[in-house]
């Protein structure tokens, strides 16, 4: 059963605007769902409401049929939350941290030890298991937190910006770990890294100004976009006359257009022996096109496209 939000709204005490504004969404609790948006979009607010840590102002949210307010106690048995900036205790080792965590939850020492060991293998930190956490890389530290959450047997895991600030290699390895673990669990995570969300998440939601602009699989989201293809030409290229949107940057010319028009441009470039590349538009462009539209609507502007 999915996560259901109905008219979910949050206005913090004393705030002038809504941090979540009438969010309606249904998210299947399978695989990985990634919530993306600029700073202040409402990602943390939504994650905390779903994690039963924050009360909505109005509307409802439920997970597997359990209401985040009325059934919070039951819900906490099946969910786990890693907050934004969550950190493991620095002066113990990953093995100690996960074992202690399990013993708090009532496991006997033997069970806790063998369970901790198996989780340590699952998240790929076996080599680091006996080192002090303060000496581990940022990526490994986050994996220790994931280890604790997994040890708890929660089926549904919320992680707020688990990869922010990690270098590319740590981020890739973190996602690989989630990719392996998602068979038995659902992860909802927030991120700024659109290319990661695009290639690794099963579902994506774009939040902006407290509003959910779109949600679904990459294919479903792409279907909502007018121009589904992008052709990239050199920066000084003469742009053929096509229907679409042209953006010139300091080192390239990008044309967002339909598949048919993109193929026309491609054959023209081949005829001219000019360099070009062509691909379905990425989440990056999709994100900006949704968020830009939102900004334009607010300012009462419209933008003409030829
Ligand atoms: N405790 C709070 N009190 C008042 N306003 C808040 C509080 N927490 C967040 N906000 C505001 O709510 C909006 C959404 O914030 P947040 O959910 O943290 O966004 P994100 O995680 O996408 O950066 C922002 O405008 C932020 O300033
Ligand atoms: Mg946040």
């Amino acid at each position: 059963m999915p996560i259901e939000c109905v008219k979910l709204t949050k206005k913090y005490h004393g705030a002038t605007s809504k941090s979540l504004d009438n969010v309606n969404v249904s998210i299947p609790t399978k695989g990985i769902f990634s919530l993306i948006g600029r700073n202040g979009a409402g990602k943390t607010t939504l994650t905390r409401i779903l994690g039963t840590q924050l009360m909505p102002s109005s509307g409802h949210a439920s997970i597997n049929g359990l209401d985040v307010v009325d059934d919070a106690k039951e819900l906490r048995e099946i969910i786990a939350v890693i907050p934004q900036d969550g950190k493991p205790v620095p002066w113990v080792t990953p093995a100690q941290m996960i074992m202690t965590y399990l013993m708090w939850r009532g496991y006997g020492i033997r069970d806790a030890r063998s369970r901790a060991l198996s989780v340590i293998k699952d998240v790929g930190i076996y080599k680091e298991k006996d080192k002090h956490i303060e000496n581990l890389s940022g990526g490994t530290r986050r994996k220790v937190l994931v280890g604790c959450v997994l040890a708890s047997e929660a089926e549904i895991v919320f992680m707020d910006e688990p990869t922010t600030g990690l270098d590319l290699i740590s981020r890739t390895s973190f996602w690989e770990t989630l990719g392996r673990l998602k068979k038995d669990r659902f992860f909802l995570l927030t991120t700024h890294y659109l290319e990661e969300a695009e290639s690794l998440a099963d579902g994506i939601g774009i939040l902006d100004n407290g509003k959910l602009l779109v949600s679904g699989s990459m294919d479903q989201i792409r279907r909502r976009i007018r121009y589904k293809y992008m052709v990239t030409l050199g920066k000084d290229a003469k742009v053929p006359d096509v229907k679409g949107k042209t953006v010139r940057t300091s080192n390239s010319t990008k044309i967002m257009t339909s598949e048919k028009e993109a193929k026309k441009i491609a054959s023209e470039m081949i005829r001219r022996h000019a360099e070009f590349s062509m691909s379905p538009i990425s989440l990056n462009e999709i994100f900006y096109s949704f968020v830009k539209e939102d900004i334009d609507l607010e300012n009462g502007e419209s933008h003409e496209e030829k």
Side-chain angles (χ1 to χ4, degrees), residues 218 221-222 225 281-290:
M218 251 329 267
I221 292 180
R222 203 174 268 125
I225 292 277
I281 64 167
S282 69
L283 186 58
N284 218 14
E285 282 91 39
I286 293 177
F287 179 78
Y288 283 106
S289 87
F290 272 104

Side-chain angles (χ1 to χ4, degrees), residues 27-185:
I27 303 170
T29 42
K30 272 200 285 194
I32 304 177
F33 186 88
S34 188
L35 208 50
I36 59 178
R38 299 181 282 194
N39 284 334
K43 304 182 296 295
T44 297
T45 303
L46 179 54
T47 314
R48 293 186 66 211
I49 291 176
L50 295 176
T52 74
Q53 297 163 296
L54 186 69
M55 294 279 274
S57 308
S58 60
H60 295 279
S62 64
I63 302 172
N64 291 357
L66 297 170
D67 188 274
V68 295
V69 178
D70 298 339
D71 309 314
K73 211 163 162 251
E74 275 170 274
L75 203 48
R76 285 180 194 141
E77 310 257 313
I78 58 161
I79 64 172
V81 182
I82 301 181
Q84 194 166 353
D85 303 323
K87 290 187 182 70
V89 183
W91 57 83
V92 298
T93 68
Q96 288 166 338
M97 169 103 195
I98 296 172
M99 248 184 87
T100 312
Y101 179 81
L102 285 168
M103 285 162 67
W104 276 334
R105 292 184 69 103
Y107 284 83
I109 189 157
R110 273 203 193 166
D111 274 357
R113 187 177 289 136
S114 68
R115 211 175 148 68
L117 199 63
S118 107
V119 164
I120 280 167
K121 286 180 190 154
D122 282 349
V123 294
I125 52 171
Y126 189 80
K127 271 204 308 221
E128 294 88 355
K129 75 179 178 16
D130 296 320
K131 295 182 183 161
H132 278 130
I133 288 172
E134 61 196 343
N135 298 327
L136 301 177
S137 71
T140 310
R141 286 185 208 191
R142 312 255 168 123
K143 288 185 191 170
V144 176
L145 287 179
V146 177
C148 289
V149 159
L150 294 187
S152 75
E153 291 175 87
E155 297 156 29
I156 292 170
V157 181
F158 298 108
M159 292 189 279
D160 198 1
E161 298 198 22
T163 54
T164 298
L166 299 184
D167 63 55
L168 182 62
I169 293 175
S170 309
R171 281 195 269 137
T172 310
S173 138
F174 187 87
W175 274 94
E176 268 169 16
T177 304
L178 295 193
R180 268 190 290 114
L181 300 171
K182 75 174 187 180
K183 282 200 304 289
D184 313 310
R185 286 190 172 75

